[in-house]
Amino acid sequence: EAFEFHSGLSLLAAFELPKVTTPYRLRVKSLFDDDHGDETSVFYPIVALLDETFIVMRMTSIDSLRLEPGLASVGGRAGLAVTVPVDPALENGRYLIVFTPAALLGAAPDDRREGDMLTPATLAWLERRGDTAVPASPYGRLQITIAPDAPGTVGLARISPERLEKLVSEMDGI
């Protein structure tokens, strides 16, 4: 699915957050796509947490991403990761959206719109004209891990294509 974010058109992955009452940590890791020989690329994962009315409650930035070497992760695959603490008692998060800002893919919005925000890291990237150590990709392989802060289990459910289409059509504020 694709959505016209404030940063421009981008593909996204959407998930429903677990219905739990205890705090947990949500880790999203995008694996380096090194299956193409010398042309390695990566999906730069930006995470948005939405409430039940699809309003953005919280969103990470490029500044939040951390390089995880293969030795530091399950399966031994290197990638870019972000960890988001979630406390259901403090916020009403219902959905997880993962996307890459269009500006990183070389497609900035046609014109400025009210509420547009670019982080310092994204502005620096644009000033370098997109020169990065690893080029951005519109596609990627994600590993999503949920770890409870307290004993117990939590899980993440993939959204059905029909519900995803409804979610994308109703999203506002990203």
Side-chain angles (χ1 to χ4, degrees):
E1 225 20 76
F3 183 74
E4 183 74 30
F5 294 93
H6 281 286
S7 64
L9 186 67
S10 181
L11 297 174
L12 63 91
F15 302 89
E16 188 169 352
L17 293 171
K19 295 178 182 176
V20 297
T21 57
T22 58
Y24 58 93
R25 294 196 169 278
L26 181 64
R27 183 177 144 278
V28 177
K29 180 178 179 180
S30 175
L31 304 175
F32 285 115
D33 181 16
D34 53 5
D35 296 340
H36 304 296
D38 292 338
E39 297 192 23
T40 298
S41 61
V42 68
F43 179 86
Y44 285 75
I46 300 300
V47 170
L49 298 180
L50 283 62
D51 68 10
E52 63 278 347
T53 62
F54 310 111
I55 301 297
V56 176
M57 299 172 10
R58 214 168 8 134
M59 188 164 54
T60 64
S61 71
I62 299 297
D63 301 328
S64 307
L65 297 175
R66 299 293 173 249
L67 175 64
E68 278 193 4
L71 295 174
S73 62
V74 176
R77 299 286 308 267
L80 295 176
V82 61
T83 300
V84 179
V86 178
D87 187 347
L90 301 176
E91 57 191 356
N92 252 351
R94 290 301 316 129
Y95 304 102
L96 163 70
I97 304 295
V98 184
F99 68 99
T100 289
L104 294 181
L105 300 169
D110 293 334
D111 54 9
R112 298 284 299 163
R113 296 170 292 197
E114 186 176 331
D116 282 0
M117 290 183 4
L118 292 176
T119 66
T122 306
L123 290 171
W125 185 90
L126 291 171
E127 288 172 7
R128 292 189 312 271
R129 294 194 176 99
D131 294 334
T132 57
V134 179
S137 171
Y139 306 100
R141 285 179 268 179
L142 299 176
Q143 287 180 343
I144 300 176
T145 308
I146 297 178
D149 280 348
T153 60
V154 293
L156 189 68
R158 182 104 177 151
I159 294 178
S160 70
E162 297 80 23
R163 189 155 178 178
L164 175 61
E165 188 173 318
K166 181 178 185 222
L167 175 102
V168 168
S169 68
E170 295 179 6
M171 278 194 316
D172 185 23
I174 296 182

